[in-house]
Each structure stands twice: as C-alpha cells, then as structure tokens.
Amino acid sequence: MTAAPGVETDPHDARFVHGGDGLLAAFNAAGVLDAADVHTAERVGGLGGEPDEAVLLALALAVRAVRLGSVCVDLAAADRTVLGEGDELVDVSALPWPEPGPWHDACLRSPLVADGAQAPAGRPLRMVAGQLYLERYWREEELVRLALRERAAAAPPPHDLDALRTGLDALFPDPRALRQRQAAAVASLRRVTVLAGGPGTGKTTTVAALLRLLLAQPGPPLRVALAAPTGKAAARLQEAVSGDLPPESRGRVAEASTLHRLLGWRPGGGSGVFRHHRAQRLPFDVVVVDETSMVSLTMMARLLDAVRPDARLVLVGDPDQLASVEAGAVLGDLARAAGRPEPALDAALAALGLPTGVVHGVVTLDHTWRFDGAIADLARAVQRGDADAAVAVLRRGDPQLAFAETASGAATAGGGDTDGTRADVVAAGRALADAARAGDVDAAVAGLDAHRVLCAHRRGPYGVARWTADVDRWLRGPGRDAREAWYPGRAVLVTTNDYDAGLFNGDTGVAVETPDGLRVAFARGGPPTLFAPSRLSEVTGVHAMTVHRGQGSQFRRVTVVLPPAESPLLTRELLYTAVTRAREFVRVVGSEEAVRAAVGRPVARASGLRHRLDS
C-alpha cells in the first residue's frame, strides 16, 4: 500500500501498510486506519468475494470504531467524526470520502452485509438504520436491549407497600434525600434499576439503604451479590455497604467481587467464556453493580445473560464519567434514552408520596453530600460544557482550586517544581514514609490517598511514565539507592488480577516495616492485608496514574495534568472524571486552550441502544 498523495509515512512504522493503493491506502496513510484495520478488511473482503473498495473502507471503519469504543459506525456522519488516535488530530476534510447515499447502497448490496434487524445471521456485517455493525456487536446490543425490555415488561417483584413506606421513612428521614428514597423504592418495585449520579451524591449510601430495605421485605430470604468492573471498585463497594448492614443481614450479602469473578471467568475456556450464562444462571436474587460506566457492552451482555429473569439488578454509576475502555457506553445510553413512564410503577410511587415519571428505571441523584464550593462549581461547568465558566472558576482564586497555567503546548513535567505539585507530592510521600517506617499500617494505608497526580497519557512529556520518574526523584532521599526495589513507604499499584492472593488490577498498597520484616499493606474493605514483597509480581508506582486508573477512587488532593489542546484523549469526560476524584483540593496543570478543548469535546460513542430501547 502506498501513501496517499502528498502524505509521507515512515516505512518502518508498524501502523502503516506499504505496497498498495486506493481508499484503504489513503485512509491508512492519513492515520485514520491502522494496519490491523486494513488487513482485516482486505482479508474479510477476500473471503467474502467483495471487491468494492468503498465497502472494504466501511468494513475497516467498523473495525476501527470498535477499537476506539464505538459499537457501530454511521456512514452518513463518518466524514464529520474526529478521527485518529495519535497525538495529533487528522484533517479528514481532504480525504476521499465516498458519497453517503451510494456508499450506503453499495454496502447493502454486498455479500458481507446483512440488511436490517430481521435479516438472518451469518454475515460479518449488519446495517440497521444507517449504522454499520460488526455482527458480533449487533448481537450483543440486541441481547442487552431485549433483556432490558423483557425485565421491564415482567410482573414487579413481590412487595408490601406499607412495609416499604415504613422502611423508607426510617432509612431516609432527611427531606433532602428525596431522590434516594425514590431510587430505593424503584429498586423494590422493578427488576432493573439504574442509580445514576456524580461523586458525592450518595450512591453507595443509597445502595446500602436499599439493600436493608429489600432484606427487610416479606418473603424468602434474599441472596445478594455485589460486583464492580475492578477489584479496587469492588473493595470500595464492600467497605461502603458492609458497615451499614445490620449483623443479621450480612451473611446474606456475598463479598464484593469483580464482574469476571462473579460470572466465573474460566481462563482455559477462551476469551469471554464464563461459568454462569443463560443455561446456568447466577444464584442471587439481587445483583448490585457499582461503577457501571466502566462496563462494556460485551460484559453487560454477559451479565444480563447470567442474572435470573426474576432477580433484581441495580446498576450504579456516573454516566458523565469516562466509559469503558472497550466498546460501548451502556450506562450513558440507559441514562439518556428517551422513553415512557410505566403506569404500574407510577401508581406505586404515587402511593408512596414519591415523584413519578421514572423512565427505564433510571433515578439520578442530584444533591452533592461529599463536597461543594469551587470543586462542585468546576465539575458542574465541565459537565454542562460551559468552557467560559470552567476557566472563570479556575481563575477566581478559591482555596479549593489552583490553576497552574502553562503556555499552550508547553511541557509540564518537571514544571511541577514551582506550581505546588512538588510540595504536595513530597508532603504526602514523607508522611507515608514516616508511618511506614514506624510500622503504623493503618496510617500508611490511609496516606495512600493523600495526593495523586492524574494524567491523560501513559507516555510522553504529559504522561504517567514521565511524572512517575519525577515523583520518584523528588521522594528519593539522599540515603536511598535508586536501584533499591523495596523500601518503607514505597506505594504500588497492582496491574493484574491475582485471584489466589485476593489482589486485583487497580488495588493500591504501601510497603511498611513490621516485626516480620518489610510487608506490603493493602486495604480490602476491612483490616489491611499484608504480603511479602516477593509475593507481588505485577506492580507499578502509584503516585501518578492515568485518569482511567483513578476512576472509582477518591483522593484528598489531586493534581490534573492536561496534555496540549490537540490531544484526542483530552475530553469533557476525562476532565470531569479527574476533577471529581478530589475531596478537598484540585490543581489543574495546563493551558487555557487545553481546558477549553476538553470542556468542548464530549466523547461521541456511536451506538444504537439509546435510540432503540423502546422498540
């Protein structure tokens, strides 16, 4: 494949295919398609007998869409989509886009494409309402849609309205908790509930209360499962819920786990194979999933396949946060889908004196309990896409916020020496090391959340690797050898699941001195657990991490490092997620242009679920 006219490519760059020409070559050379997208399209086209390069381009874009988080590609809008995943955005206007009408018709004529939702399976692609899917993702989206529709149409779970009213009065006496009351009632009256809300709105507190409510309802004892996409999020859910349950109920709530562990992932069975599925359902009456914004379409399909049709499913999360790194944004689709209220649910809510009009079981908590003031003002400005307000909040000099403004495109790593970041890092690191050397395990574990640097990129001058090196240099005392692997106060992040040890991707720990020697302490929703350093295989430094890694966690103070405005990783959801990780203080390091670019660039994930939930 040869480069597009006027475009030069590095012959040694693995992203590019060399020795050909045509549409695929042009889009590959421009950086829109990777080599894997091109090879897949050419191979599938060859196997299916499809020579039309416009159809092969559509196939390659569908493959690329999934790789970047979308479930499908809208051919009519493809030329208006921001494309490219590198450090620069691609100018798509100069590319030879096919005319949308003939392009759509050519795809429908292709032997590779099934036409419409009712067409039989067996082809690698499917076109529905102008959106082109890889068949696998169409089937998963359809499974999720049908499962949610069937559960909405099913008879409501057994309930006692008088007992429910009494329980709601006892659990939610504060008049500001109206939405919490409504969410708990919906979870009692419906098979699927979506509990949405930003950080600090009381989602996990509401989960604990609604579980107490459900467990007190008449009928056979309920069995409850708690789950989350990551081990860290599962541990936080366990910690939040277990302390609020009465002792007599705790035995009916299984220990929180990752979704993979809940469903029974079988490493030897191939990718996506689980012990629990449609033919062997989960043995629980209530399943609660926290941080659902991080759940991909594929995992949601597997979950709905495994949860019994008569069980309650409670999906908890913030639809404005970053979505799954895999394809799909199911929580966002559910929270924003249009629909009609359910008459039976409305009647029950009215009888309880609660607001009616709930659609798809979605209740959004809107009162912030954890923080207010400048952090909340900044989060709201970012959330509603108001760049002027966001910049104004950052510059108003509030003690909760600092704007370490840099020139547009200027590197920030190392610049933290003068903007307060180094002082925060050193203060938190020294307190951590002092507690670790003193053998104070609880204080050392608590100190892990004192400060965190959050980056959009993993590598480069704005990335985690660069900031980790700077932080390590700042914290390294004159008496410590840089080659020393383990020392009191070393903070680490687990990067792979270790089911034998009960440690999971995202767990954080700190090395502490103990009577038995140096041990690494992890908080797992209860007393810290200690491990010998030799027991840990895949760990990395934790003082700096990506915003994706930090999702689901809270820190006392946060420094957010923004890349240049042109970085495609810089989005509204990323900035909102980063800012709302802080409980007390946020420092934003970057240019005004970067802040404005982030606020004005919401993530656009193509999906048909939001528009088809009522069909």
Side-chain angles (χ1 to χ4, degrees):
M1 179 175 295
T2 59
V7 178
E8 295 183 2
T9 62
D10 182 349
H12 304 292
D13 192 328
R15 294 173 300 171
F16 300 106
V17 181
H18 304 277
D21 53 22
L23 280 178
L24 292 178
F27 280 75
N28 176 226
V32 174
L33 298 176
D34 274 1
D37 306 326
V38 174
H39 288 313
T40 301
E42 291 178 336
R43 182 61 173 162
V44 173
L47 291 173
E50 176 54 77
D52 190 331
E53 64 177 0
V55 175
L56 298 184
L57 174 62
L59 194 162
L61 289 173
V63 173
R64 174 196 172 278
V66 169
R67 177 165 53 79
L68 298 187
S70 289
V71 178
C72 55
V73 59
D74 185 347
L75 298 183
D79 62 342
R80 298 190 300 275
T81 304
V82 174
L83 301 172
E85 198 184 19
D87 289 335
E88 298 180 355
L89 298 180
V90 177
D91 178 10
V92 300
S93 61
L95 290 171
W97 292 95
E99 286 294 326
W103 194 13
H104 178 274
D105 294 341
C107 288
L108 290 183
R109 291 193 301 268
S110 172
L112 303 178
V113 181
D115 180 9
Q118 304 305 317
R123 301 189 183 192
L125 298 168
R126 182 179 294 266
M127 184 81 77
V128 179
Q131 293 178 313
L132 186 67
Y133 293 79
L134 298 180
E135 178 70 11
R136 168 191 163 182
Y137 290 94
W138 158 259
R139 294 175 68 84
E140 289 176 348
E141 186 176 280
E142 188 71 349
L143 188 156
V144 169
R145 183 186 72 85
L146 292 175
L148 292 172
R149 188 182 69 176
E150 290 165 3
R151 292 166 194 267
H159 58 273
D160 183 322
L161 275 182
D162 290 333
L164 187 54
R165 184 181 297 105
T166 300
L168 290 171
D169 291 340
L171 292 168
F172 301 101
D174 193 323
R176 295 173 297 174
L178 178 63
R179 291 297 177 188
Q180 279 86 345
R181 288 172 62 96
Q182 184 187 38
V186 171
S188 301
L189 299 166
R190 203 175 186 274
R191 302 288 179 186
V192 178
T193 303
V194 178
L195 178 57
T201 53
K203 294 189 297 294
T204 52
T205 301
T206 304
V207 168
L210 72 82
L211 288 180
R212 292 178 65 180
L213 194 68
L214 295 177
L215 292 169
Q217 286 284 297
L222 299 176
R223 293 163 295 176
V224 179
L226 305 175
T230 67
K232 179 72 171 178
R236 290 183 63 249
L237 178 62
Q238 175 73 29
E239 184 177 10
V241 169
S242 60
D244 285 343
L245 291 177
E248 63 273 14
S249 298
R250 291 174 188 168
R252 293 155 65 182
V253 180
E255 182 180 358
S257 70
T258 63
L259 281 169
H260 279 78
R261 194 171 193 181
L262 175 71
L263 297 180
W265 180 59
R266 297 183 291 188
S271 176
V273 176
F274 296 96
R275 183 171 64 253
H276 294 288
H277 43 73
R278 184 175 295 269
Q280 187 173 337
R281 306 275 192 174
L282 288 165
F284 297 104
D285 306 293
V286 181
V287 177
V288 178
V289 181
D290 198 11
E291 297 294 347
T292 310
S293 65
M294 298 195 294
V295 178
S296 68
L297 174 67
T298 297
M299 181 55 74
M300 184 60 71
R302 301 290 182 271
L303 177 67
L304 287 167
D305 225 18
V307 174
R308 296 199 327 262
D310 62 338
R312 291 178 174 92
L313 178 62
V314 181
L315 303 175
V316 185
D318 184 351
D320 293 313
Q321 286 189 20
L322 286 165
S324 164
V325 295
E326 300 176 54
V330 179
L331 181 68
D333 286 340
L334 283 170
R336 300 182 178 103
R340 298 176 295 275
E342 301 162 20
L345 178 62
D346 268 1
L349 291 173
L352 294 168
L354 294 171
T356 59
V358 173
V359 174
H360 302 307
V362 179
V363 178
T364 302
L365 307 184
D366 51 12
H367 180 78
T368 301
W369 303 82
R370 181 181 298 145
F371 56 70
D372 53 15
I375 296 177
D377 291 345
L378 178 58
R380 283 191 288 267
V382 173
Q383 190 177 35
R384 65 177 182 264
D386 189 339
D388 289 339
V391 171
V393 172
L394 283 170
R395 286 186 170 153
R396 75 186 187 195
D398 194 283
Q400 284 190 330
L401 289 176
F403 187 19
E405 191 170 358
T406 64
S408 179
T412 57
D417 288 7
T418 58
D419 63 22
T421 303
R422 180 171 184 166
D424 269 354
V425 168
V426 171
R430 286 178 178 170
L432 191 67
D434 290 344
R437 282 192 292 266
D440 190 339
V441 175
D442 291 334
V445 169
L448 283 168
D449 294 338
H451 179 268
R452 195 63 48 90
V453 176
L454 298 177
C455 306
H457 292 220
R458 290 191 297 272
R459 292 174 294 275
Y462 311 92
V464 170
R466 174 73 180 271
W467 275 88
T468 296
D470 283 347
V471 169
D472 187 60
R473 174 169 53 83
W474 296 340
L475 294 179
R476 190 185 309 128
R480 180 163 66 81
D481 189 335
R483 296 168 296 180
E484 185 181 5
W486 290 99
Y487 49 87
R490 183 191 176 191
V492 295
L493 173 81
V494 175
T495 57
T496 59
N497 293 334
D498 185 340
Y499 290 106
D500 292 334
L503 293 174
F504 304 97
N505 186 2
D507 285 348
T508 55
V510 56
V512 295
E513 290 282 9
T514 74
D516 298 321
L518 200 66
R519 294 291 183 267
V520 186
F522 291 87
R524 298 284 301 141
T529 307
L530 303 179
F531 296 88
S534 60
R535 180 66 182 80
L536 308 176
S537 55
E538 301 293 335
V539 296
T540 188
V542 76
H543 291 291
M545 60 170 50
T546 62
V547 179
H548 270 98
R549 283 278 193 191
Q551 192 164 349
S553 299
Q554 289 286 319
F555 312 102
R556 191 165 63 85
R557 298 171 71 86
V558 164
T559 295
V560 182
V561 179
L562 299 182
E566 61 267 21
S567 169
L569 298 183
L570 191 57
T571 65
R572 182 183 302 170
E573 288 79 3
L574 181 133
L575 181 57
Y576 172 81
T577 301
V579 165
T580 55
R581 298 309 90 204
R583 293 192 298 268
E584 298 178 8
F585 176 83
V586 174
R587 176 185 296 104
V588 176
V589 181
S591 66
E592 178 183 337
E593 290 83 357
V595 173
R596 290 184 176 278
V599 175
R601 190 185 294 151
V603 171
R605 289 199 168 187
S607 163
L609 182 62
R610 182 185 309 184
H611 308 292
R612 299 177 57 250
L613 276 172
D614 268 353
S615 62

